[in-house]
């Protein structure tokens, strides 16, 4: 036989096999797709178990998936058996496709973050599809194996779905076989339910492992059907009574002894405290000394270092609001802090402007469109806002979000030299944000995400040094309060979870916070008591000579005496995420997903290797307190429900309820 003829015959046999397979699967297309969803869920959890060495826990993770998805398949099969019509078959097919799509989305989320997805986590994609879409695309490119494993079968399933949807194939039923199949499925469901009940009584060293015991589809449905499941319902927002004071509503006054030092506030993006030279353990496993941020350590040694500082809400927009206003942000999954007010809130910027005539500016290397940053900066009362768009140079862009921080030095210098009056200068870094890329001039990009992250931290330390040298060159070193502070940390699998928005471990909560103030703070001072993001603004203002108590901050002066047994509260951004407080060396974390309260003894277990689940009668009291704290952070927005306004002459800001967005426009338009 000639080679062309052999190839032709092979192709014909392959086509015949595909037709036979299609003919076998199409009459039960909804069942096939549901079983594909089940396979996807089981496979991704197996991958996660192998990745973190948790094979012993894997059986307990999949029982709920088996029970829920088999139950769903049985219901669809019974409906199609009882009402054998094309409209019913198409409806079952669409329902199965929705379930399968959610399985694929959950699989991608689990691979990337180590947690199962919840519906509220899709809000960011809806609010900011461009930037979040770029982030998703970059993660797919960075994980080609996972992307192929998810997208290629999804493409085949999609083609199968549309083919059957267009021309449904009537299923042929043998009543005896059908009853046997349903009976077998019901037995499997009962066994899975019994196994799930037994597994729920078992403990786990990691709360994230417990979270994998739940079925993502059932959790999604509950989140929509039961508002109280989120513990923050629509009524908590519509009935909110908390009001954040406006700039004109706080009494600004100064003590007899005051100083008009300039203030430079450098905010670090997503840097783990343990990944800096400020951490106590600086020795690697091979015995070499680890010094990732030597210049940051130098700045801290020249002033005060707060060694036990935490972010109040582990999301940049929320953290910035807390740092710069001294008020708790809403511990909820919106960006209400960015909805532009007719008058700014009372903040570090407005109080310095009113009390001492400061000029104020906020510079950032990131794009200003991300989470409506221009709206936030406006609400914080800054006179000038400068973002990546103002650099007007694509050559300095880094990743989808940021830019080379060193490109900010010239416009910062120009602004400082434009006037002789005292100033507040806030600079927000971005290179340490995902996708963890450094400018080309800095050197070749590291290979792995963790190494790239460390590389961006070293780059940022170099920028801190360059900024400090620039301040000294301008003759400002001796009359400037220089503060370096973090917004939140980042998790890289230390507790088998990644990211920051839904994490309550110390690698995410603890932040850098140090202040150098010549003649105002003695060098080498350390504050080991727990402090929070909301303490920064009152601390700086007290240092400069303001009466802080009348200003109504939620935070305290962290350099003064703090209340005995003070509780330092924290929360993740997502509404179903963890929240809690630290008190007297103990950390209490409430996990709404599991309705558990866990205790970590940080003094003896700083790495949080052991958790203690509180008994239900004790946990209820703690959970109610933490839930109430979270509800109490919700504030009322006294603004029209919808509208638009131009901010800083360059940003068109639109808002709808508690969500806003901005677009860069030509200045003066």
């Amino acid at each position: 036989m000639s080679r062309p003829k052999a190839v032709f015959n092979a192709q014909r046999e392959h086509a015949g096999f595909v037709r036979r397979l299609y003919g076998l699967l199409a009459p039960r297309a909804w069942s096939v797709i549901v079983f594909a969803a089940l396979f996807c869920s089981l496979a991704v959890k197996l991958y996660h178990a192998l990745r973190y060495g948790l094979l012993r826990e894997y059986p307990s993770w999949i029982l709920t998936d088996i029970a829920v998805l088999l139950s769903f398949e049985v219901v669809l099969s019974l409906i199609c058996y009882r009402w054998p019509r094309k409209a019913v078959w198409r409806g079952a097919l669409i329902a199965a496709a929705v379930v399968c799509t959610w399985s694929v989305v959950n699989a991608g989320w689990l691979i990337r973050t180590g947690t199962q997805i919840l519906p509220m986590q899709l809000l960011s994609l809806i609010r900011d599809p461009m930037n979040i879409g770029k982030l998703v695309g970059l993660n797919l490119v960075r994980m080609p194996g996972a992307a192929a494993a998810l997208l290629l079968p999804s493409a085949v399933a999609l083609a199968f779905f549309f083919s059957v949807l267009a021309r449904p194939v009537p299923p042929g039923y043998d009543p005896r076989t059908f009853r046997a199949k349903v009976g077998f499925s019901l037995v499997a469901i009962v066994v899975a339910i019994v196994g799930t009940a037994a597994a729920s009584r078992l403990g786990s060293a990691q709360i994230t492992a417990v979270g994998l015991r739940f079925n993502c589809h059932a959790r999604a449905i509950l989140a929509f059907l039961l508002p109280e499941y989120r513990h923050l319902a629509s009524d908590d927002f519509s009935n909110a009574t908390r009001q954040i004071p406006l700039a004109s509503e706080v009494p600004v006054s100064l003590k007899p002894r005051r100083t008009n030092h300039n203030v430079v506030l450098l905010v670090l993006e997503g840097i783990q405290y343990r990944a800096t030279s400020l951490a106590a353990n600086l020795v690697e496993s091979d015995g070499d000394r680890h010094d990732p941020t030597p210049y940051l350590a130098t700045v801290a040694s020249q002033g005060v270092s707060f060694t036990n500082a935490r972010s109040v809400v582990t999301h940049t927009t929320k953290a910035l609001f807390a740092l710069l206003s001294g008020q708790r942000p809403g511990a909820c999954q919106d960006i209400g802090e960015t909805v532009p007010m007719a008058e700014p809130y009372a903040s570090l910027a407005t109080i310095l402007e009113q009390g001492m005539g400061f000029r104020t500016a906020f510079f950032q290397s990131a794009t200003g469109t991300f989470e409506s940053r221009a709206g936030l900066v406006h609400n914080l009362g800054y006179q000038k806002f400068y973002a990546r768009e103002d650099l007007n140079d694509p050559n300095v862009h880094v990743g989808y979000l940021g830019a080379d921080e060193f490109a900010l030095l010239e416009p910062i210098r120009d602004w400082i030299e434009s006037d002789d009056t005292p100033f507040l200068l806030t600079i927000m870094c971005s290179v340490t944000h995902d996708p963890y890329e450094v400018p080309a001039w800095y050197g070749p990009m590291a290979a792995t995400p963790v190494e790239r992250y460390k590389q961006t931290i070293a780059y940022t330390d170099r920028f801190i040094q360059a900024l400090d040298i620039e301040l000294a060159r301008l003759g400002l070193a001796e009359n400037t309060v220089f503060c370096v502070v973090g917004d939140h940390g980042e998790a890289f699998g230390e507790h088998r979870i990644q990211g920051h928005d839904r994490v309550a471990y110390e690698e995410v909560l603890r932040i850098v916070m140090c202040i150098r103030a010549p003649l105002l703070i003695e060098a080498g001072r350390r504050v080991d008591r727990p402090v929070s993001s909301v303490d920064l603004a009152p601390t700086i203002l007290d240092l400069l000579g303001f009466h802080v108590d009348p200003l109504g901050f939620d935070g305290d002066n962290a350099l003064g005496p703090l209340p005995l047994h003070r509780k330092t509260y924290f929360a993740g951004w997502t509404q179903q995420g963890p929240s809690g407080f630290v008190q007297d060396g103990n950390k209490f974390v409430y996990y709404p997903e599991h309705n558990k309260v866990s205790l970590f003894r940080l003094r003896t277990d700083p790495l949080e290797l052991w958790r203690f689940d509180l008994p239900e009668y004790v946990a209820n009291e703690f959970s109610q307190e933490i839930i109430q704290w979270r509800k109490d952070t919700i504030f009322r927005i006294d603004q029209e429900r919808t509208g638009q306004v131009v901010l800083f002459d360059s940003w068109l800001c639109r808002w709808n309820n508690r969500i806003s967005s901005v677009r860069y426009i030509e200045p003066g338009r």
Side-chain angles (χ1 to χ4, degrees):
M1 183 183 297
S2 65
R3 180 175 177 81
K5 187 173 182 179
V7 171
F8 174 77
N9 289 337
Q11 291 175 341
R12 188 171 62 179
E13 290 179 6
H14 176 72
F17 171 77
V18 172
R19 284 194 297 271
R20 289 193 298 274
L21 182 63
Y22 181 85
L24 179 66
L25 300 180
R28 302 284 192 280
W30 53 87
S31 295
V32 171
I33 292 177
V34 171
F35 279 110
L38 178 58
F39 175 79
C40 180
S41 297
L42 303 189
V44 74
K45 289 185 177 182
L46 178 61
Y47 167 80
H48 187 72
L50 292 170
R51 176 169 58 170
Y52 290 114
L54 296 172
L55 273 176
R56 292 181 62 182
E57 298 201 28
Y58 174 70
S60 68
W61 295 352
I62 63 175
L63 293 172
T64 308
D65 292 320
I66 293 172
V68 170
L69 292 177
L70 277 184
S71 298
F72 184 67
E73 192 277 332
V74 167
V75 169
L76 290 184
S77 296
L78 290 173
I79 291 173
C80 292
Y81 180 76
R82 176 63 180 82
W83 294 282
R85 292 190 287 271
K86 286 186 177 181
V88 175
W89 299 334
R90 285 191 173 106
L93 185 63
I94 292 171
V98 170
V99 167
C100 191
T101 300
W102 191 251
S103 290
V104 174
V105 172
N106 181 67
W109 189 268
L110 180 57
I111 291 171
R112 178 62 182 85
T113 70
T115 62
Q116 298 200 91
I117 196 168
L118 294 165
M120 293 294 289
Q121 288 170 310
L122 296 180
L123 286 178
S124 296
L125 180 60
I126 297 171
R127 294 168 183 164
D128 192 0
M130 291 296 293
N131 284 313
I132 301 302
K134 291 177 184 176
L135 175 61
V136 173
L138 282 170
N139 277 285
L140 290 174
V141 170
R142 291 278 168 79
M143 299 185 295
L150 291 174
L151 298 181
L152 293 180
S154 297
V156 174
L158 196 63
F160 176 71
F161 165 76
F162 281 114
S163 176
V164 178
L165 187 67
R167 300 180 63 181
V169 179
Y173 288 106
D174 174 58
R176 179 177 298 178
T177 303
F178 179 75
R179 286 194 295 268
K181 177 230 176 207
V182 171
F184 177 79
S185 296
L186 291 175
V187 171
I189 291 167
V190 171
V191 171
I193 291 173
V194 173
T196 300
S200 66
R201 292 191 291 270
L202 298 177
S204 173
Q206 303 294 339
I207 196 72
T208 50
V210 177
L212 292 174
R213 293 175 183 167
F214 299 104
N215 172 258
C216 64
H217 309 86
R219 296 297 245 186
I221 293 170
L222 286 173
F224 284 111
L225 296 182
L226 304 175
E228 65 274 12
Y229 178 81
R230 298 190 298 271
H231 298 290
L232 290 176
S234 57
D235 288 347
D236 295 317
F237 295 90
S238 59
N239 298 331
T241 59
R242 180 189 175 211
Q243 288 183 286
I244 296 176
L246 302 176
S248 62
E249 295 175 344
V250 297
V252 178
S253 61
L254 289 156
K255 302 173 185 176
R257 296 186 63 180
R258 68 196 70 167
T259 179
N260 63 345
H261 275 34
N262 304 303
V263 178
V264 175
L265 180 57
L266 183 64
V267 184
L268 308 177
E269 163 65 62
I271 292 184
Q272 272 193 25
Y273 182 80
R274 292 187 191 130
T276 72
S277 300
L278 304 183
N281 184 14
L282 298 177
V283 179
E284 297 280 25
S285 58
D286 59 5
D288 292 337
R289 184 169 176 79
H290 184 45
D291 195 12
T293 57
Y295 201 80
L296 174 61
T298 298
V299 173
S301 69
Q302 294 168 345
V304 58
S305 177
F306 299 90
T307 63
N308 208 0
R310 289 176 179 81
S311 179
V312 63
V313 176
T314 58
H315 190 76
T316 299
T317 296
K318 305 288 185 176
L320 281 173
F321 188 80
L323 290 166
L324 301 174
S325 73
Q327 303 289 345
R328 293 168 297 165
C332 54
Q333 200 169 346
D334 65 19
I335 48 174
E337 294 80 4
T338 70
V339 175
M341 304 292 291
E343 178 185 347
Y345 297 118
S347 69
L348 185 62
T350 63
I351 293 168
L352 286 173
E353 181 184 356
Q354 293 175 35
M356 290 184 169
F358 273 45
R359 55 195 173 105
T360 59
F362 188 107
F363 285 76
Q364 66 174 38
S365 56
T367 172
T369 61
F370 196 74
E371 291 200 344
S372 191
R373 187 59 50 78
L376 175 68
V377 174
H378 163 79
N379 282 345
L380 291 169
Y382 283 85
Q383 300 163 355
K384 179 181 179 65
F385 174 58
Y386 191 100
R388 184 172 83 168
E389 288 78 359
D390 296 294
L391 288 169
N392 196 27
D393 183 4
N395 294 316
V396 300
H397 290 189
V398 178
Y400 72 95
L401 177 71
D404 186 353
E405 257 94 68
F406 285 78
L408 293 177
L409 291 175
E410 183 177 349
I412 286 172
R413 181 177 62 248
D414 292 343
W415 179 79
I416 291 175
E417 293 182 323
S418 66
D419 200 308
D420 292 332
T421 56
F423 61 83
L424 164 66
L425 169 64
T426 300
I427 306 164
M428 178 76 204
C429 297
S430 67
V431 169
T432 45
H433 190 283
D434 181 90
Y436 314 120
E437 295 179 3
V438 293
W441 64 262
Y442 187 75
M445 190 167 60
T448 67
V450 173
E451 290 303 316
R452 288 200 301 270
Y453 179 65
K454 292 179 179 178
Q455 186 180 41
T456 62
I457 292 174
Y459 161 89
T460 301
D461 189 65
R462 191 164 167 179
F463 173 70
I464 297 172
Q465 181 179 23
L467 176 64
D468 203 23
I469 290 173
E470 189 66 32
L471 294 174
R473 194 187 69 79
L474 294 171
L476 301 173
E478 296 304 315
N479 65 339
T480 297
V481 175
F482 187 47
C483 174
V484 183
V485 66
D487 59 350
H488 54 74
E490 194 76 10
F492 282 90
E494 293 86 351
H495 291 87
R496 304 181 180 105
I497 192 170
Q498 300 183 52
H500 58 266
D501 280 334
R502 212 170 126 196
V503 186
Y505 289 107
E506 295 291 271
E507 55 265 26
V508 168
L509 289 175
R510 288 188 68 186
I511 56 174
V512 169
M513 187 185 291
C514 56
I515 303 174
R516 183 186 67 199
L519 304 179
L520 300 179
I521 297 177
E522 60 181 312
R525 183 175 174 185
R526 290 168 59 93
V527 175
D528 298 324
R529 294 163 297 176
V531 298
S532 172
S533 308
V534 294
D535 297 326
L536 182 68
T539 301
I540 291 176
L541 290 172
D542 185 86
L543 197 62
L544 296 179
F546 284 83
H547 289 291
V548 171
D549 291 342
L551 296 173
F553 289 118
D554 287 329
D556 297 302
N557 172 21
L559 290 173
L562 294 172
L564 193 64
H565 308 304
R566 183 192 194 212
K567 294 180 179 178
T568 305
Y569 286 91
F570 59 83
W573 185 44
T574 56
Q575 291 181 197
Q576 300 99 331
S579 51
F581 61 85
V582 174
Q583 183 184 38
D584 298 332
N586 295 318
K587 182 162 80 170
F588 299 90
V589 185
Y590 170 58
Y591 296 92
E593 281 186 80
H594 325 300
N595 199 28
K596 290 179 179 291
V597 176
S598 298
L599 165 65
F600 296 91
R601 302 189 183 279
L602 298 179
R603 288 175 179 166
T604 57
D605 180 27
L607 298 180
E608 298 170 290
L609 300 178
W610 299 97
R611 87 171 201 274
F612 304 90
D613 290 338
L614 301 184
E616 186 174 349
Y617 69 93
V618 178
N620 286 341
E621 180 180 346
F622 281 93
S623 63
Q624 290 306 310
E625 177 185 351
I626 294 168
I627 291 170
Q628 190 59 51
W629 171 82
R630 193 158 194 168
K631 289 183 177 181
D632 289 344
T633 66
I634 308 302
F635 59 91
R636 196 172 74 203
I637 300 177
D638 293 325
Q639 176 61 286
E640 296 292 332
R641 183 177 178 85
T642 62
Q644 68 177 43
V645 66
V646 175
L647 306 174
F648 303 106
D649 293 326
S650 303
W651 298 91
L652 177 62
C653 181
R654 294 188 174 95
W655 71 90
N656 184 352
N657 198 12
R658 303 180 71 89
I659 303 299
S660 74
S661 62
V662 296
R663 178 169 62 87
Y664 189 71
I665 59 176
E666 293 180 12
R669 276 186 57 184

